[in-house]
Amino acid sequence: MGVIYLAGMTGAGKTTVGRCLASKLGCAFLDLDEEIERIAGTSIIEIFAADGEEVFRDLETASLVNIGETKDAVVALGAGVLERETNLFHVQRIGTIIYLRASIETLFERISAETSKRPLLQDAYTDSDLRSRLSDMLKRREPHYLTASLIVDVDDLQSAETVAERVYNGLNLR
């Protein structure tokens, strides 16, 4: 099976779906953001506040390389990790990328109440600003997401289990 990387925007459901998919596959689940926090000994919000985005991205790359040594796992990627070409090349070489695609409206609905937990969105004070930021980020990131082996649209899927089932069926692992 190898490593299955779940990619997509913040709010697409990578962590929740990843846990369900790993359970279905009977393999390990790893969340890149959780791994970064474990290694750094602090939260992502605190890393951004104290050291800035570039330091966070360096930690993200180092954590990605460490996770890549895991066999047979589902990994929830950070939303911006594939913007670094070295990271994109790494995950393409090591495993299979699955893009969980969500519309701006779905992303907005899922994260609008918790922007304070998301360092690149915490100062989006109005609904309009948040939608605009999400749109800008998606335009920048989606070309990288579209390199995925499988794209699963999550807007109309009602549960993480349904999305995990769709991913599982798309992987043709049976």
Side-chain angles (χ1 to χ4, degrees), residues 12-164:
K14 299 178 298 289
T15 299
T16 307
V17 170
R19 291 186 200 286
C20 292
L21 182 61
S23 177
K24 186 169 190 58
L25 293 169
C27 68
F29 170 74
L30 300 163
D31 182 286
L32 186 61
D33 287 345
E34 291 173 4
E35 183 68 9
I36 293 165
E37 289 180 338
R38 185 187 66 76
I39 290 169
T42 190
S43 73
I44 289 172
I45 288 284
E46 290 168 347
I47 295 167
F48 266 81
D51 302 311
E53 185 175 1
E54 192 62 29
V55 168
F56 169 76
R57 297 296 175 197
D58 291 342
L59 287 169
E60 189 175 54
T61 297
S63 299
L64 184 64
V65 170
N66 289 339
I67 284 176
E69 296 172 6
T70 305
K71 304 291 184 229
D72 295 335
V74 174
V75 177
L77 295 172
V81 70
L82 298 181
E83 285 187 272
R84 275 195 177 175
E85 293 296 324
T86 56
N87 294 344
L88 179 59
F89 175 75
H90 179 77
V91 298
Q92 288 173 329
R93 186 175 50 82
I94 299 289
T96 303
I97 303 171
I98 309 299
Y99 172 26
L100 302 183
R101 181 166 52 190
S103 68
I104 296 300
E105 198 53 39
T106 295
L107 298 171
F108 174 82
E109 289 171 15
R110 291 180 180 179
I111 68 167
S112 61
E114 57 181 39
T115 56
S116 64
K117 298 177 185 175
R118 303 181 189 270
L120 296 178
L121 298 172
Q122 65 187 36
D123 61 346
Y125 300 115
T126 67
D127 291 353
S128 175
D129 190 29
L130 179 56
R131 282 185 178 94
S132 176
R133 294 257 188 101
L134 288 169
S135 180
D136 290 345
M137 291 166 91
L138 182 59
K139 285 177 190 167
R140 194 174 64 248
R141 294 172 175 173
E142 192 164 47
H144 306 290
Y145 297 156
L146 291 172
T147 66
S149 300
L150 176 66
I151 299 170
V152 177
D153 290 307
V154 301
D155 289 339
D156 297 327
L157 301 177
Q158 297 301 311
S159 69
E161 291 81 10
T162 304
V163 177

